[in-house]
C-alpha cells in the first residue's frame, strides 16, 4: 500500500494510523496483553426486585482500563475479542472474577439474602466445548452457590446453533445455575425456544423499555413479554429503566426485576459494597460526620 501511494505520501502520514486493519491488529495485541497483565475490570449494575424495591443481584459488565486510551467499554473491544477467539480467555476471567467478588460479598455483607451475580456469555463462549467445565470449575474454586449465578445469553447466540445450544444449556442447568435470554425481542428466536430451552428469565431489551409510556407499540410489546414470561413460568426482567414513569409502568405490568440508570449505572465493586450496606449504617456515618457534609 505504501508502495502504491508513492514515496511522497509515505512521508505525509503513517498509514498504520489510519488503516483499520492495522489498528485492529494493534488493539488485538494490546487486548491480549491487557488480559494477561490484568487490565480488565468488572463493573456491576444492580438488578432490582420490583415488588420490594431492594437490590436482588448484580450484572457483571466488563471494562478495560487501557494504559493510554482510558477506560474502554465493551463496545470498543468485545466484537474484536469475539472474532479473534480471545473472548474465551476474557470470558473465563470475567466469570472467575465475578464469582470471586460474589463470594466476597456473600461472606462480608450483612444482608440476609446473598447477592446474585449475572454474567454475560457471547455466542462463541456458548458454543465452546469447554464452557460447562469452565463454569463448574469456577463455582467449585470459590465454593459459590450455583443458584446465585445467572448466565445471560442473547437470542442471537441461541439461534446460531440451536441444537448445540440446547445441549449446553441443559448441562449448565444441571450444574444448578440460572439462565437468562438477554436482549429479548431483538433477535429472531422462535417463541418455541422459550418452551424448549431450560430458561429462568427473559430480559426485555432496552429498546422496548425506553418507549414505555410514549409509544403504544412498545407498551404492548413489553406487556406481552411479561405475560409470555409468566405464561411459561419464568421471571421477566426489564433492562435500561431510566425514568420513574417506566418503573411504575413496569411495576403495574407485573415485571419481576429491573435494572437501569434510574436505579444505578454499572458501579465499581467498592461502590456496590456501599450500596448493599444497610441504610442504617450509612445514616450513622452521615450523622457522625454531620458537621462536615462533604
Ligand atoms: P447487555 O448484557 O445487554 O448489558 C446492558 C448494557 O446496557 C450495559 O452496557 C449497561 O451499562 C447498559 N445499560 C444499563 N442500564 C442502562 C440504561 O438505563 N440506559 C442505557 N442507555 N444503557 C444502560 P455495557 O456495559 O456497555 O455492555 C454492553 C454489552 O456488552 C452488554 O449488553 C453485553 O452484551 C456485552 N458485555 C458486557 N460485558 C460482557 C462480558 O463480560 N462478556 C461478554 N461476552 N459480553 C459482555
Ligand atoms: Mg446482559
Ligand atoms: Mg441486555
Ligand atoms: Mg443489550
Amino acid at each position: 500500500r505504501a508502495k502504491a501511494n508513492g514515496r511522497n505520501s509515505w512521508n505525509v502520514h503513517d498509514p498504520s494510523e489510519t488503516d483499520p486493519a492495522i489498528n485492529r491488529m494493534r488493539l488485538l495485541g494490546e487486548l491480549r496483553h491487557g488480559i494477561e497483565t490484568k487490565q480488565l475490570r468488572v463493573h456491576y449494575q444492580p438488578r432490582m426486585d420490583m415488588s420490594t424495591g431492594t437490590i436482588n443481584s448484580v450484572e457483571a459488565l466488563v471494562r478495560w482500563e487501557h494504559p493510554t486510551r482510558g477506560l474502554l467499554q465493551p463496545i470498543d473491544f468485545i466484537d474484536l475479542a469475539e472474532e479473534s477467539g480471545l473472548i474465551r480467555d476474557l470470558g473465563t476471567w470475567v466469570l472467575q472474577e465475578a464469582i470471586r467478588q460474589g463470594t466476597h460479598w456473600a461472606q462480608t455483607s450483612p444482608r440476609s439474602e446473598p447477592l446474585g451475580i449475572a454474567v454475560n456469555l457471547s455466542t462463541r463462549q456458548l458454543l465452546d466445548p469447554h464452557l460447562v467445565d469452565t463454569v463448574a470449575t469456577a463455582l467449585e474454586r470459590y465454593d459459590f452457590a450455583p443458584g446465585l449465578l445467572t448466565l445471560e445469553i442473547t437470542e442471537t447466540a441461541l439461534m446460531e446453533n440451536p441444537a448445540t445450544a440446547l445441549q449446553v444449556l441443559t448441562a449448565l442447568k444441571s450444574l444448578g445455575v440460572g439462565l437468562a435470554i438477554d436482549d429479548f425481542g431483538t433477535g429472531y428466536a422462535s417463541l418455541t425456544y422459550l418452551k424448549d430451552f431450560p430458561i429462568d428469565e427473559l430480559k426485555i431489551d432496552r429498546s422496548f423499555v425506553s418507549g414505555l409510556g410514549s409509544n403504544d407499540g412498545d407498551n404492548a410489546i413489553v406487556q406481552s413479554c411479561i405475560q409470555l414470561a409468566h405464561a411459561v413460568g419464568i421471571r421477566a426482567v426489564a433492562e435500561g429503566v431510566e425514568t420513574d414513569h417506566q418503573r411504575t409502568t413496569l411495576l403495574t405490568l407485573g415485571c419481576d426485576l429491573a435494572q437501569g440508570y434510574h436505579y444505578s449505572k454499572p458501579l465499581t465493586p467498592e461502590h456496590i459494597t456501599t450500596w448493599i450496606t444497610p441504610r442504617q449504617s450509612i445514616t450513622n456515618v452521615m450523622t457522625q460526620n454531620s458537621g462536615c457534609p462533604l
Side-chain angles (χ1 to χ4, degrees), residues 172-190:
L172 289 172
K173 198 67 224 165
S174 66
L175 295 178
V177 305
L179 300 172
I181 300 193
D182 205 351
D183 302 342
F184 187 76
T186 61
Y188 299 93
S190 149

Side-chain angles (χ1 to χ4, degrees), residues 85-160:
L86 260 189
I87 194 77
R88 260 179 72 169
D89 290 347
L90 186 155
T92 301
W93 183 82
V94 170
L95 185 71
Q96 291 197 357
E97 174 58 18
I99 291 177
R100 187 198 63 74
Q101 183 63 59
T103 307
H104 175 75
W105 280 324
Q107 289 167 352
T108 56
S109 155
R111 287 162 46 99
S112 52
E113 288 283 299
L115 199 65
I117 307 279
V119 175
N120 292 285
L121 294 182
S122 72
T123 306
R124 197 141 170 174
Q125 288 176 274
L126 182 70
L127 300 178
D128 172 5
H130 299 103
L131 174 69
V132 181
D133 260 359
T134 303
V135 174
T137 305
L139 290 169
E140 278 161 25
R141 176 166 169 193
Y142 294 101
D143 198 19
F144 192 71
L148 288 178
L149 177 67
T150 297
L151 298 173
E152 300 193 359
I153 301 144
T154 62
E155 265 182 327
T156 323
L158 291 176
M159 294 311 293
E160 179 87 18

